[in-house]
Amino acid sequence: MKLADSVRFVRGVGPKKAELLGRLGIATLEDALLCYPRGYEDRTRVTPIRRLLDGEKQCVHAVVGAPPRTAHIRRGMDVTRCVVYDESGALTLQFFNQSYVASSLQTGQEYAFFGKIRAEKRGFVMLSPEFEPVGAAQCTGRVLPFYPLTAGLHQRDLYRVTDAALAALPGEMPDFLPARVRAQQGFAPLGDALRAIHRPQDMQQAQQARRRMVFEEFFLLSCGMGLLRARRSGRCGAKLRDLSLTAFYRALPFALTGAQQRAIEACTLDIAAGRPLSRLIQGDVGSGKTMVAAALCYLAAKNGRQAVMMAPTELLAQQHMQTLQPLYGALGLSCGLLTGSLGARQKRETVQAIEAGELSVVIGTHALLRGDVRFRDLAVAVVDEQHRFGVQQRAALTEKGENVHLLVMSATPIPRTLALLLYGDLDVSAIDELPPGRQKVKTYAVGERMRPRIDAFIDRQCAEGGQVYVVCPLVGDGESGRTSAEHTAERLTAALPHRRVALVHGRTKAAEKERIMAAFAGGRVDILVSTTVIEVGVNVPNATLMVVEDGDCFGLSQLHQLRGRVGRGARQSYCVFYGADRGEDARERLKTLVHTDNGFVIAQKDLEMRGAGDFFGTRQHGLPPMKLADLAGDTRVLEQARRMADALLAADPALTEEPQLRARVEKLFAQHGEGSFN
């Protein structure tokens, strides 16, 4: 049997099991080796009975004192009890509907028992333990891994295929990690590490093997990012000879912040160096990222070239148009809008104007990606709220010109360690200050008992001329205990019949959604009840209150994004998060938002408390996923892997001296849409 063989040939794995294993990404024995354990149960550590801990799974060596007895306690339920002893005391074993154990446990025989402990008045009880004679060491005398599963699979199925895969390992397995990297990190060869992570002799060996595999994941990603950067730096960017922004700054009705100016300067330095700009601008909602993009688009237009800005929603594209068209008009530049809702004639005329070069700056949505949209001379592409777009969409936009400069923007700040991983192929600029004059949004975390007061506060905000968002986690009735937008809209309509309440969510048809959002932006709706569809791209300066139902079920960064929808006008704004009465964890998480409005601090806290799932789940990054690494807990390993990858690439930029490593990186990135590094 070879590692390339299908798991279908493993004894005991039939077609149904093979199909279920396929759902976990396990089709071959090699796949089985790369399906790492999620954790381990340490069954090697024997605990004396008198030192057992309530609620813990523990291993005991004890002698059966008397034959087990089975009692029928109710219909369909039998319980078998047995008392066992060691030198420190007695322990009761309790098995439910497992009467066969009575014939398996022999009086006077010493066994190893492993199970969960429950402390009772008369002593400790071990519930339905696994057991075997001392010395057998099949399941209780070792560190036992546990794997990710899907419905219909059991741990024994994963043991079966991983055992077969380990048996198929060659004696000398090729190792793509360079020898000097392994030596510096003290890593075992790949074959030994795979054996240790799947069948460790003790927890120390398991931890050492896991560290190697985590390092490996980070190292491969870092090498891939380095190759992507090299691919970019080897090309020439679109030439923009005149990089003066004096006229642009004079045309602005306000002064840019220092952070905005630094971001613009970083972009112009990239362009001046002759390489393609490829930069991420990240900053809080309202930090002024759009003006950085506007400056870059101005440079393209000033040099007789074209620029494009793509937004994820029509409303956001229209808002960009309303903001930028007067600015560009004052500078003598043409600006056009292309969205899916334009009439056929208007759309055709806009597409023709783009191809003829009559529009210097084009703002639009996914409609820009259509095959019939051709630019005469595209030099700059901007992708706003880029986490709403996939890597392929981003690439499709830049391919509408030659050597196009790319700027991507995100209002979801992420910690530096995560940015290094997700955006390692981009240069990163952070806009970490807000424009002067923006008031801090007063934020409160409340429980259900505050609802009458919050409803009254909603009414008062409307009476004073403000508008209100109410965001819910669900569209309709579904998950028990969570608030639905449909129910909330009905409740508020009944409670505040004199207020205009509207409802919008992910199931709302696009045209209707745009109509409702436009009505809210135009002041024709007092209270907008929605799901998180309003998280991105709504600019309503008159909105003064954001209420989030079940705030405990959202990520902190997402809640911070929602809070950013208010506080955009001259009036004091407020944000209220329900869910502070749902346990200490929920209260502590929501307190983070009450105490700080720094998106980067909040993002770091989110990463520590919830892990990287939120960031990976909301960004179509197109990069290989993490199978084992924990970005919150493995930061030090990430830094080490990055440094070593950077040092290796500095000495060998194309990895020509490490062909196995190069091939592994190529294969990994090709599986996720990046293609060749050449």
Side-chain angles (χ1 to χ4, degrees):
M1 188 172 285
K2 299 177 182 178
L3 286 176
D5 287 343
S6 168
V7 294
R8 178 69 182 82
F9 295 103
V10 176
R11 188 174 181 179
V13 177
K16 181 62 177 176
K17 293 288 186 184
E19 179 186 346
L20 295 174
L21 287 166
R23 295 180 188 176
L24 297 177
I26 303 175
T28 67
L29 295 182
E30 184 179 11
D31 295 334
L33 289 178
L34 299 178
C35 180
Y36 300 126
R38 282 186 171 173
Y40 301 89
E41 289 181 345
D42 187 357
R43 302 187 178 192
T44 63
R45 187 173 298 172
V46 179
T47 304
I49 290 174
R50 65 183 175 85
R51 293 184 180 175
L52 293 173
L53 297 174
D54 184 31
E56 298 289 325
K57 280 189 171 183
Q58 293 177 284
C59 185
V60 169
H61 286 189
V63 175
V64 176
R69 294 186 177 182
T70 300
H72 182 72
I73 57 175
R74 65 173 183 269
R75 185 175 182 180
M77 178 64 74
D78 293 335
V79 61
T80 300
R81 293 186 176 90
C82 178
V83 180
V84 298
Y85 303 86
D86 68 4
E87 293 180 351
S88 69
L91 171 69
T92 300
L93 310 179
Q94 200 162 279
F95 302 87
F96 296 96
N97 289 340
Q98 292 175 272
S99 57
Y100 60 86
V101 302
S103 59
S104 302
L105 292 171
Q106 304 300 314
T107 304
Q109 173 74 46
E110 184 179 18
Y111 293 88
F113 299 98
F114 183 85
K116 190 171 184 178
I117 300 298
R118 186 173 69 197
E120 296 185 349
K121 289 183 179 179
R122 295 184 179 181
F124 290 113
V125 175
M126 183 178 281
L127 303 173
S128 300
E130 296 179 50
F131 61 90
E132 62 194 0
V134 168
Q138 295 301 308
C139 68
T140 55
R142 69 182 186 187
V143 174
L144 201 66
F146 52 90
Y147 294 90
L149 297 174
T150 189
L153 284 180
H154 303 281
Q155 291 295 336
R156 61 178 176 270
D157 298 314
L158 273 297
Y159 297 154
R160 190 175 290 126
V161 295
T162 49
D163 279 341
L166 291 170
L169 277 176
E172 290 291 329
M173 189 174 186
D175 198 332
F176 59 84
L177 271 187
R180 60 182 178 276
V181 172
R182 295 202 308 270
Q184 288 177 354
Q185 294 292 322
F187 290 147
L190 180 56
D192 292 346
L194 286 169
R195 293 182 185 94
I197 199 167
H198 288 287
R199 299 295 182 266
Q201 295 179 359
D202 52 45
M203 287 301 294
Q204 182 180 2
Q205 190 182 65
Q207 290 163 0
Q208 289 173 342
R210 181 190 179 277
R211 185 178 177 279
R212 169 180 163 136
M213 299 311 178
V214 168
F215 180 95
E216 180 182 299
E217 287 188 335
F218 288 143
F219 188 75
L220 288 171
L221 279 171
S222 298
C223 286
M225 290 298 192
L227 291 172
L228 286 174
R229 286 196 301 272
R231 181 177 69 180
R232 186 185 83 218
S233 62
R235 301 171 182 169
C236 294
K239 287 184 172 57
L240 302 178
R241 301 187 185 283
D242 185 353
L243 298 180
S244 172
L245 287 162
T246 303
F248 176 80
Y249 289 141
R250 283 178 184 160
L252 292 176
F254 48 80
L256 297 183
T257 65
Q260 286 173 304
Q261 292 178 30
R262 287 190 295 274
I264 292 171
E265 183 180 2
C267 292
T268 56
L269 287 174
D270 288 343
I271 295 170
R275 60 177 179 267
L277 170 73
S278 190
R279 184 170 290 273
L280 165 72
I281 302 292
Q282 63 167 341
D284 275 336
V285 170
S287 60
K289 297 180 297 298
T290 302
M291 282 301 109
V292 177
L296 193 60
C297 292
Y298 165 76
L299 289 178
K302 179 184 180 182
N303 282 270
R305 312 288 294 275
Q306 288 175 290
V308 62
M309 183 183 296
M310 184 168 69
T313 67
E314 292 205 4
L315 186 62
L316 183 54
Q318 289 164 357
Q319 288 176 351
H320 283 325
M321 186 68 176
Q322 292 166 7
T323 301
L324 298 179
Q325 190 175 36
L327 173 63
Y328 289 138
L331 291 164
L333 302 174
S334 56
C335 184
L337 178 70
L338 181 64
T339 64
S341 66
L342 291 179
R345 179 180 174 183
Q346 191 176 1
K347 192 178 298 182
R348 184 174 60 255
E349 291 175 351
T350 303
V351 168
Q352 290 172 351
I354 293 171
E355 187 170 7
E358 296 169 4
L359 294 176
S360 298
V361 180
V362 182
I363 299 168
T365 58
H366 295 77
L368 292 164
L369 301 177
R370 291 173 20 173
D372 63 340
V373 178
R374 291 180 288 272
F375 289 80
R376 182 179 64 82
D377 193 8
L378 182 63
V380 167
V382 177
V383 178
D384 194 13
E385 296 298 345
Q386 66 83 37
H387 63 282
R388 295 297 178 102
F389 296 98
V391 168
Q392 300 303 323
Q393 291 171 313
R394 202 170 73 188
L397 189 63
T398 57
E399 286 169 3
K400 290 183 178 289
E402 290 187 13
N403 303 319
V404 172
H405 296 292
L406 173 68
L407 183 71
V408 296
M409 303 192 296
S410 175
T412 306
I414 61 175
R416 177 177 172 273
T417 52
L418 196 55
L420 290 172
L421 193 67
L422 292 182
Y423 305 112
D425 59 326
L426 302 175
D427 300 309
V428 180
S429 292
I431 301 182
D432 50 8
E433 58 181 299
L434 294 178
R438 285 207 59 168
Q439 296 188 55
K440 183 175 181 178
V441 177
K442 293 184 178 180
T443 304
Y444 304 92
V446 303
E448 188 61 31
R449 65 185 181 84
M450 291 289 289
R451 189 166 294 280
R453 291 179 61 181
I454 300 303
D455 283 353
F457 189 56
I458 291 172
D459 191 32
R460 189 158 67 251
Q461 288 297 303
C462 295
E464 293 174 357
Q467 291 169 273
V468 179
Y469 296 101
V470 180
V471 176
C472 306
L474 300 177
V475 174
D477 293 336
E479 186 180 345
S480 176
R482 294 301 183 189
T483 309
S484 76
E486 291 176 345
H487 172 76
T488 299
E490 292 174 2
R491 187 187 70 78
L492 286 172
T493 299
L496 304 172
H498 51 296
R499 300 299 174 202
R500 297 166 295 180
V501 179
L503 171 66
V504 66
H505 47 68
R507 298 178 195 165
T508 308
K509 291 183 178 179
E512 178 68 4
K513 187 187 302 180
E514 295 290 339
R515 185 191 66 77
I516 294 171
M517 301 291 266
F520 185 69
R524 299 186 297 280
V525 168
D526 299 314
I527 303 170
L528 180 65
V529 180
S530 76
T531 54
T532 55
V533 295
I534 57 91
E535 180 184 358
V536 169
V538 182
N539 182 25
V540 182
N542 196 49
T544 56
L545 174 60
M546 165 66 70
V547 178
V548 181
E549 299 282 355
D550 299 329
D552 56 302
C553 73
F554 295 94
L556 295 182
S557 293
Q558 190 174 28
L559 292 175
H560 181 58
Q561 278 277 93
L562 291 169
R563 175 168 59 182
R565 295 298 116 209
V566 296
R568 293 166 167 256
R571 298 174 55 199
Q572 177 62 56
S573 292
Y574 306 87
C575 187
V576 176
F577 298 121
Y578 280 102
D581 54 351
R582 294 184 177 174
E584 187 64 26
D585 287 347
R587 186 160 50 251
E588 287 303 311
R589 290 182 64 249
L590 294 176
K591 274 185 180 179
T592 301
L593 292 156
V594 173
H595 294 149
T596 183
D597 59 358
N598 186 311
F600 292 92
V601 173
I602 290 167
Q604 181 63 44
K605 190 72 172 178
D606 214 5
L607 180 62
E608 293 169 1
M609 300 185 79
R610 287 167 63 99
D614 286 347
F615 299 103
F616 279 112
T618 58
R619 180 176 184 261
Q620 300 178 53
H621 47 80
L623 299 178
M626 297 283 93
K627 289 187 176 182
L628 191 61
D630 171 19
L631 282 156
D634 294 321
T635 302
R636 184 174 298 178
V637 182
L638 168 58
E639 294 285 2
Q640 291 172 346
R642 270 197 71 253
R643 283 198 300 270
M644 299 201 79
D646 288 347
L648 180 65
L649 289 166
D652 183 12
L655 297 180
T656 53
E657 297 178 14
E658 300 290 345
Q660 289 183 337
L661 175 60
R662 168 89 185 201
R664 183 64 180 265
V665 175
E666 287 259 19
K667 178 181 178 182
L668 190 64
F669 276 66
Q671 290 172 346
H672 297 275
E674 281 295 344
S676 172
F677 293 106
N678 297 317

